[in-house]
Amino acid sequence: MSKRLRFLIILIPLCLSLTITGCSLQDLLGKNKNKTSSKATEDKTIIAVSLNENDPNKLLITKGIDDLAKKEDVTVKYIKSGSEAESALEDAKILIYQGGDESTLQKSQAQEIPILALTQLPSGVKPEGIIIPDQEKVGELMGQTLVGKVTEGQVVILQGDPNESGSQELLSGNKAILSKYPKISLHTISSPKGSESVARTSLVDFLQKNPDNVLAILAHNESLAAQASEVLKQNQLDKKISLIGGQANVPSLDRMAKGSQTGDVDTSPYLQGANAYQWAQKIINKEPLEIEDSLTSEQGEIPAKIVAVKAVTPANLAVIQKSYTKTLQSAEQEQKKKDESSKQESKEKEGEEKKGQEAKGQEQADAKKENGQSGDKQNAVPPGVDKVTERVKTETTRDYLDANGKVMGTEKTVNEQTKTVPPEMLKQQAEQAKGDSKGQEEEGKDKKEEKK
């Protein structure tokens, strides 16, 4: 058997097999780019994120998420309001939730999208896990900073919402250190959600009743620390009473640099974001989480990733302040680019829509003008006309061909006819044309109204 015959015997069954299965040779060799491209689009990971708009370190958390997302083929969609939730959750593989409209949680549950909590456990849902700073350690570090300055007298603790995750642990950390000093007496002012102004009023009242006894204020978050700082300045007590915060941020570090705040705690917001992204990816890929701890909630035990914290002191203030400021500036620049890009896209979209509307309007105007001109021509019967004649001239060319299609001869004939047209007939035709045009316009309007 020759080599050529053997090749044909192998090739023919292969071609028949490809024909029967509906596959092409290109598919067999894995060169179908359209399928690969389509699959890549379907497999693209989307992470939805809802952050607490009042968190002073929101942009730093955002940067921690975005920096890692840039290294992978991941799209991060941030939800700023409840109305954005539906579009942001579309095709999302997971929701990272710190705060925002609670309807986002409900929509996420309805669509069976896993939830990863950040800094706070949301009520009514059971997240796959939570990323949270070591709150008890934050409380201990605040207490240690205080006893480095004060070992007796009255101390006011401004606690955040006692119902929030970690709030009690933070207070417990304060007391674990300060309880060792019997000459220190504690007065706690809590501020449930929405009652921050009440906490400020309570602080002012307590300071007025104890003008010389209060020696320090521990403020658990930036909102409370900022209000306490204002109260102390207004009452000229900022040099007498030490203020210690529990949530370092650019403004609080600036207060420390100016001497109006004694200490603070770095809760590593950038790392909070980075850890949230890493855990989100593990949950999406169904990989085991590195469970170090857990938090008890109304929904049961929640796996927790505890982010390390450290005290901000005069010794490390300059380094931490520079790091926070630099990271924030970078995050702001990136956010500005995002906003500009979003505005540009929106502007281009509006421009395209406007051009489309203008083109459509021009088409309608041209059509209307053409109809009008046509009507005018049909109506162009001068007054006083009694008779109208039309001359119609036709020219016919006749070719004589042989069997091979060759032209053997050509004959031309010209026929010219003149006929009389009553003027009333022309007027009737013009009126009918106008009526048809008006009917089409009304029909178009009716269709538009039905669509609305």
Side-chain angles (χ1 to χ4, degrees), residues 271-326:
L271 287 180
Q272 289 178 38
N275 280 305
Y277 177 86
Q278 289 173 340
W279 264 35
Q281 283 287 54
K282 287 181 181 293
I283 293 168
I284 292 170
N285 298 327
K286 300 188 184 321
E287 297 174 4
L289 300 175
E290 303 155 358
I291 302 174
E292 301 174 351
D293 208 334
S294 65
L295 294 185
T296 304
S297 73
E298 56 188 9
Q299 304 293 334
E301 289 295 310
I302 309 298
K305 171 73 173 179
I306 307 298
V307 179
V309 298
K310 61 184 175 184
V312 182
T313 65
N316 64 10
L317 173 61
V319 174
I320 293 176
Q321 187 177 24
K322 183 179 179 181
S323 174
Y324 266 71
T325 303
K326 188 176 179 180

Side-chain angles (χ1 to χ4, degrees), residues 133-152:
D134 191 340
Q135 298 289 55
E136 189 168 356
K137 186 66 177 177
V138 171
E140 290 175 359
L141 292 175
M142 292 173 74
Q144 288 170 1
T145 300
L146 172 63
V147 296
K149 300 284 182 180
V150 176
T151 55
E152 60 180 42

Side-chain angles (χ1 to χ4, degrees), residues 39-103:
K39 190 173 185 300
T41 302
E42 289 176 4
D43 292 344
K44 189 175 183 65
T45 301
I46 296 175
I47 297 177
V49 181
S50 181
L51 299 179
N52 178 5
E53 292 298 316
N54 296 321
D55 191 324
N57 294 318
K58 180 173 69 76
L59 277 179
L60 301 185
I61 293 173
T62 299
K63 185 164 175 58
I65 296 172
D66 289 345
D67 280 357
L68 293 188
K70 285 177 189 174
K71 299 175 183 178
E72 302 175 12
D73 189 21
V74 174
T75 299
V76 181
K77 293 184 178 179
Y78 290 94
I79 305 170
K80 294 181 181 179
S81 65
S83 60
E84 297 176 359
E86 194 166 341
S87 59
L89 291 174
E90 186 178 355
D91 298 325
K93 303 291 185 183
I94 194 168
L95 168 66
I96 298 176
Y97 185 86
Q98 182 197 27
D101 197 317
E102 292 184 359
S103 66

Side-chain angles (χ1 to χ4, degrees), residues 400-413:
Y400 297 93
L401 313 173
D402 64 10
N404 296 321
K406 184 179 179 181
V407 178
M408 299 178 66
T410 301
E411 180 184 337
K412 286 187 179 182
T413 58

Side-chain angles (χ1 to χ4, degrees), residues 343-354:
K343 284 180 182 178
Q344 184 63 27
E345 287 178 7
S346 179
K347 192 176 179 181
E348 287 175 359
K349 188 177 180 182
E350 287 176 4
E352 288 174 4
E353 289 176 354
K354 189 176 179 181

Side-chain angles (χ1 to χ4, degrees), residues 79-283:
I79 305 170
K80 294 181 181 179
S81 65
S83 60
E84 297 176 359
E86 194 166 341
S87 59
L89 291 174
E90 186 178 355
D91 298 325
K93 303 291 185 183
I94 194 168
L95 168 66
I96 298 176
Y97 185 86
Q98 182 197 27
D101 197 317
E102 292 184 359
S103 66
T104 303
L105 291 171
Q106 297 165 359
K107 289 173 183 174
S108 181
Q109 281 188 304
Q111 297 178 38
E112 297 182 348
I113 298 172
I115 298 168
L116 175 64
L118 178 61
T119 70
Q120 299 295 332
L121 275 174
S123 61
V125 299
K126 185 177 181 180
E128 300 294 318
I130 182 171
I131 309 297
I132 189 169
D134 191 340
Q135 298 289 55
E136 189 168 356
K137 186 66 177 177
V138 171
E140 290 175 359
L141 292 175
M142 292 173 74
Q144 288 170 1
T145 300
L146 172 63
V147 296
K149 300 284 182 180
V150 176
T151 55
E152 60 180 42
Q154 287 185 330
V155 174
V156 177
I157 298 178
L158 297 179
Q159 182 187 21
D161 186 351
N163 298 314
E164 286 185 349
S165 309
S167 180
Q168 297 299 335
E169 285 80 2
L170 208 160
L171 182 62
S172 177
N174 291 155
K175 292 180 178 179
I177 300 298
L178 301 181
S179 62
K180 298 175 184 178
Y181 297 83
K183 291 184 179 181
I184 292 179
S185 61
L186 301 177
H187 178 75
T188 303
I189 299 174
S190 61
S191 53
K193 193 173 182 180
S195 66
E196 288 80 3
S197 59
V198 177
R200 177 172 181 155
T201 303
S202 299
L203 175 62
V204 171
D205 290 342
F206 191 79
L207 291 174
Q208 289 175 349
K209 292 175 182 177
N210 302 274
D212 300 318
N213 297 328
V214 177
L215 299 180
I217 297 174
L218 304 183
H220 284 185
N221 57 49
E222 169 56 19
S223 175
L224 295 170
Q227 291 187 70
S229 179
E230 289 177 9
V231 169
L232 293 177
K233 283 182 180 179
Q234 288 172 359
N235 292 276
Q236 298 181 345
L237 295 171
D238 51 315
K239 301 299 180 184
K240 180 181 177 183
I241 298 176
S242 297
L243 173 62
I244 299 169
Q247 186 186 23
N249 55 90
V250 171
S252 73
L253 295 173
D254 186 52
R255 290 196 297 267
M256 279 191 68
K258 292 177 179 177
S260 58
Q261 185 166 318
T262 305
D264 216 326
V265 180
D266 176 11
T267 56
S268 301
Y270 180 88
L271 287 180
Q272 289 178 38
N275 280 305
Y277 177 86
Q278 289 173 340
W279 264 35
Q281 283 287 54
K282 287 181 181 293
I283 293 168

